[in-house]
């Protein structure tokens, strides 16, 4: 894996599908095998397309969470968002999956908005971050999260409880570990050194508040693994469970390489892109798994798994029967790239328009989703 | 100054009186000269014995504070305490001086209790730190601080406003600066790296809250200079004034070297020592500036300036006329060490008994001294 970089602040654009199992082995996590999928399905009734498509493909101690859950012990979910800009589809996919987990298991979900980190690592003003924070929260909530069990932690709003717990964590984390794991340098600011402690807190916060151990399951992209690997080392030293993880590949990028990026408007589909823009982006920029000509496509068929349009269709089309048929037909050459793109644009536009509708309904209710420590006191 | 160490976490025991002007020059601060003392006296009416005795002997931009004050611009005071154990007389002396400044200038005073730092740097539990915090606050307040203008910031209580401002500071502070200034190592925890940002916040907090620049004057022991030297570098980059400082020598130690230490019960007079214990400690352990024999003392006189008993008498005897006479008589040999020690024990015991009385009155009112951000909003 020489030269491949994948950590919270840097991702090589050359990560290929076949690299993932090797990365996971190197990181010390496990692949989600068919047995574990079956076990999940027994509880959840069906499997989310992100599981069957292996977008969420690896885990740490997911089996332990399920063992505990089957004994009647609740766990909770924790995920997050760094509000560095407006959100695109790639940002939203992990939340779609997290919502599915929450709905299936009926558990609490902490969503950490790391406005402090964005301030520390980016050349961006707090005013801009505040605006992004408000917009991002609304975008996330427009997925329709359970109001009773969804708790948004904006770091700067909850810095009291976060900091007071973060120093427990920070006491166990040396600068040399922070350097080795994150590639921090002496020239980096001391806030960056400390921040990983703030990001670790939600992984044990409910245990800290309740005064008894509650398991935490964290869905995250593989690029965030370093943060939580450290958390798994340190939490037992504080008397808490190691957090469990369900880990995704990098979210599919419009142009097929690396992550979607907020800084390049054509590298991603933004949540506020209108129907025509979506169509144009899919037609013009979407990485295709189809053949170069109509004839070749009819003859050899496409590779749907690397096809952005198909992947979005699979992610967003509610009728998974249709998706299976499209997969078969696209692969066999019965469907051409242009048709796949049209189906995908439609699914994306339907999804975005649903988001926009729910967004309007949710405006004015955002406060009801904000983390309140008193709701967790037994 | 080879080999002399003086920083927040380490103090050589060999600092001698003659080292101080050199240290101050090396640190880039200024001595408080007679002209500045005269100027102070014109405003305050008299000079505190810690100024005339040159215990508070150096400054950074004290003249700038006075310039501003003379134009009708208020400043505020900031000092602190790390609650690592119970307090002794040496801990209380800077607060005595700070109270004098507050009373003379009628200004706000922020007192930061750095419970987070103590947790990060010592092998001590949060429960123990919490107990120390309560005890220390009561000890400090028993000096009789102005309730309207004294604001105690317990870091773990005010971590929201502190952290949110500290990240502004942290963004400008590199790990390499923290290493160079504090001698931090890669093996130190990341909390220690970040902490200096938390300690810097009260130096600009009122400006941040009010949204306009207010000058801050910080009385501190020379061993804390590193913290505030960094603050003076960074605050202007955040649009704030450099904090001003009034700097003391290391507080006189019972046994004459280094600082009084909470860990050695015979190295210090504790605030809960009873009258007999005080007498015994002064007689048995107090570093003396007197001669070895009665005859030599009569003939050559003592050196009151290095004499612990005399220094405490000077610090705590309210009648400074008496102090001047004692100084002359002790120096000339008219007073013997034993007599000086008796006078000193009496003054200390009177002072401690006054503290205990006020402490009883203040119990139940401590909450009224706690920092409340709303009191500073214009």
């Amino acid at each position: 894996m020489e030269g491949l970089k994948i950590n919270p602040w840097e991702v090589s654009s050359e990560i290929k599908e076949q690299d993932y199992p090797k990365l996971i082995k190197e990181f010390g996590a496990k692949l989600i095998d068919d047995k574990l999928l079956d076990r999940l399905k027994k509880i959840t009734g069906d499997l989310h397309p992100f599981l069957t498509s292996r977008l969420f493909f690896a885990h740490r101690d997911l089996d332990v969470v399920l063992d505990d859950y089957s004994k009647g012990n609740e766990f909770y979910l924790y995920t997050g968002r760094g509000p560095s800009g407006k959100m695109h589809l790639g940002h939203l996919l992990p939340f779609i999956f997290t919502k599915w987990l929450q709905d299936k298991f009926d558990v609490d979900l902490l969503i950490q908005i790391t406005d402090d980190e964005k301030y520390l690592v980016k050349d961006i003003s707090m005013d801009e971050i505040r605006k992004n924070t408000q917009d991002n929260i609304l975008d996330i909530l427009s997925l329709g999260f359970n109001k009773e069990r969804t708790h948004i932690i904006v770091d700067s709003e909850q810095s009291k409880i976060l900091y007071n717990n973060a120093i427990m964590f920070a006491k166990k984390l040396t600068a040399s570990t922070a350097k080795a794991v994150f590639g921090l340098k002496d020239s980096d600011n001391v806030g960056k050194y400390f921040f990983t402690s703030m990001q670790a807190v939600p992984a044990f916060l409910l245990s800290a508040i309740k005064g008894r151990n509650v398991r935490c399951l964290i869905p995250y992209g593989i690029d965030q693994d370093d943060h939580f690997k450290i958390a798994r080392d340190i939490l037992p030293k504080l008397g808490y469970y190691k957090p469990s993880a369900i880990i995704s590949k990098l979210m599919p990028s419009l142009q097929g390489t690396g992550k979607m990026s907020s800084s390049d408007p054509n590298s991603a589909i933004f949540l506020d892109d209108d129907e025509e823009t979506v169509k144009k982006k899919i037609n013009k920029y979407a990485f295709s798994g189809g053949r170069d000509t109509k004839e070749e496509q009819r003859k050899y068929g496409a590779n749907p798994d690397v096809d952005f349009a198909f992947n979005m269709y699979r992610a967003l089309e509610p009728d998974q029967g249709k998706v299976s048929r499209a997969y078969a037909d696209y692969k066999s050459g019965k469907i051409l790239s242009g048709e796949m793109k049209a189906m995908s644009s439609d699914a994306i536009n339907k999804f975005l328009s649903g988001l926009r509708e729910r967004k309007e309904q949710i405006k004015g209710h955002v406060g009801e989703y904000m983390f309140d420590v008193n709701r967790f006191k037994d």
Side-chain angles (χ1 to χ4, degrees), chain A:
Chain A
M1 310 301 288
E2 286 282 314
L4 272 191
K5 282 192 179 168
I6 188 154
N7 67 49
W9 292 298
E10 200 175 359
V11 174
S12 300
S13 57
E14 311 85 23
I15 310 281
K16 292 191 184 60
E17 189 59 30
Q18 60 268 32
D19 294 329
Y20 283 114
K22 286 181 275 179
L23 272 172
I24 278 303
K25 202 175 166 192
E26 192 188 316
F27 284 13
K30 285 182 187 160
L31 292 172
I32 298 177
D33 57 19
D34 291 339
K35 210 176 125 194
L36 191 53
L37 278 186
D38 283 347
R39 195 172 166 199
L40 263 171
K41 195 174 176 181
K42 273 195 190 118
I43 301 171
T44 55
D46 56 10
L47 288 178
H48 193 272
F50 291 176
L51 286 168
T52 47
S53 70
R54 309 283 177 175
L55 180 62
F56 277 84
F57 74 117
H59 75 103
R60 293 178 183 276
D61 288 350
L62 175 58
D63 46 340
V64 178
V65 167
L66 297 182
D67 289 347
D68 234 37
Y69 183 79
S70 68
K71 289 180 199 143
N73 296 317
E74 218 178 59
F75 64 95
Y76 70 99
L77 292 158
Y78 157 36
T79 187
R81 156 84 189 151
S84 54
K86 60 182 187 171
M87 290 181 82
H88 55 59
L89 266 183
H91 293 136
L92 219 52
L93 299 185
F95 287 99
I96 293 176
F97 181 64
T98 304
K99 178 182 181 315
W100 180 84
L101 286 171
Q102 181 187 35
D103 289 343
K104 291 296 177 182
F105 288 94
D106 189 25
V107 290
D108 284 310
L109 162 63
L110 305 185
I111 301 176
Q112 183 180 33
I113 311 289
T114 56
D115 55 349
D116 52 344
E117 184 202 17
K118 287 307 156 198
Y119 182 77
L120 287 165
V121 307
K122 298 237 170 197
D123 187 17
I124 180 174
S125 75
M126 255 301 171
D127 282 346
E128 203 179 333
I129 292 172
R130 263 184 223 107
K131 190 180 172 319
N132 293 336
T133 296
Q134 287 173 358
D135 293 348
N136 291 179
I137 289 174
L138 208 51
D139 285 336
I140 293 166
L141 290 179
S142 66
L143 285 173
F145 282 98
N146 178 340
K147 199 192 285 180
E148 304 307 316
R149 309 214 73 175
T150 302
H151 314 274
I152 296 185
I153 297 175
V154 177
D155 280 3
S156 65
E157 287 299 316
Q158 298 298 335
S159 33
K160 180 174 180 176
I161 197 165
L162 291 177
Y163 179 81
N164 290 356
N165 281 287
I167 60 168
M168 314 278 156
F169 190 91
K171 190 171 180 173
K172 305 285 184 193
L173 176 62
T174 63
S176 71
T177 301
K179 283 177 158 185
V181 176
F182 299 115
L184 291 180
K185 305 264 182 295
D186 278 347
S187 56
D188 280 312
N189 75 56
V190 296
K192 266 176 98 161
Y193 278 77
F194 186 70
F195 175 74
T196 204
S197 309
M198 296 290 280
Q199 183 152 336
V201 173
F204 61 96
L205 186 57
L206 296 202
S207 298
I209 295 169
K210 289 169 187 276
R212 60 180 169 82
N213 254 321
V214 188
R215 290 210 181 272
C216 175
L217 173 63
I218 314 176
Y220 57 78
I222 189 170
D223 54 319
Q224 297 295 312
D225 196 59
D226 286 337
H227 271 309
F228 299 109
K229 202 157 45 179
I230 290 189
R232 284 174 56 86
D233 282 346
I234 291 178
L235 261 53
K237 298 179 189 167
L238 302 175
Y240 298 116
Y241 288 145
K242 286 183 184 206
S244 295
I246 185 160
I247 304 167
S248 78
K249 299 170 187 167
L250 296 183
M251 289 297 146
S253 149
L254 185 58
Q255 293 165 17
T257 52
K259 294 167 89 172
M260 291 202 210
S261 161
S262 307
S263 46
D264 175 1
N266 289 327
S267 75
I269 291 169
F270 289 94
L271 305 184
D272 57 358
D273 281 348
D274 62 25
E275 299 205 355
E276 283 312 305
T277 308
V278 169
K279 276 186 203 167
K280 204 189 78 187
K281 283 186 179 176
I282 291 288
N283 283 330
K284 195 162 170 189
Y285 300 110
F287 185 81
S288 174
R291 302 289 165 172
D292 289 344
T293 66
K294 190 176 157 178
E295 290 65 35
E296 285 183 75
Q297 170 73 14
R298 290 285 185 219
K299 192 165 172 190
Y300 302 112
N303 177 1
D305 289 303
V306 302
D307 188 283
F308 182 82
F310 174 75
N311 273 308
M312 284 301 122
Y313 183 68
R314 171 155 65 185
L316 302 176
E317 167 56 50
D319 182 344
Q320 287 293 309
K322 277 192 191 173
V323 172
S324 301
R325 285 190 297 279
Y327 185 87
D329 292 349
Y330 194 30
K331 199 168 183 168
S332 72
K334 201 169 161 189
I335 292 180
L336 297 178
S337 287
E339 295 168 87
M340 190 66 249
K341 286 185 170 184
M343 289 159 71
S344 181
S345 297
D346 282 353
I348 294 170
N349 277 326
K350 211 169 282 175
F351 173 75
L352 292 183
S353 125
L355 281 190
R356 281 177 206 124
E357 257 173 53
R358 277 193 299 276
K359 204 162 160 174
E360 288 311 311
Q361 294 156 9
I362 267 163
K363 277 182 187 170
H365 297 275
V366 172
E368 300 161 35
Y369 293 85
M370 292 295 130
F371 176 86
D372 175 358
V373 65
N374 296 309
R375 294 175 67 180
F376 298 101
K377 287 181 176 156
D378 284 338

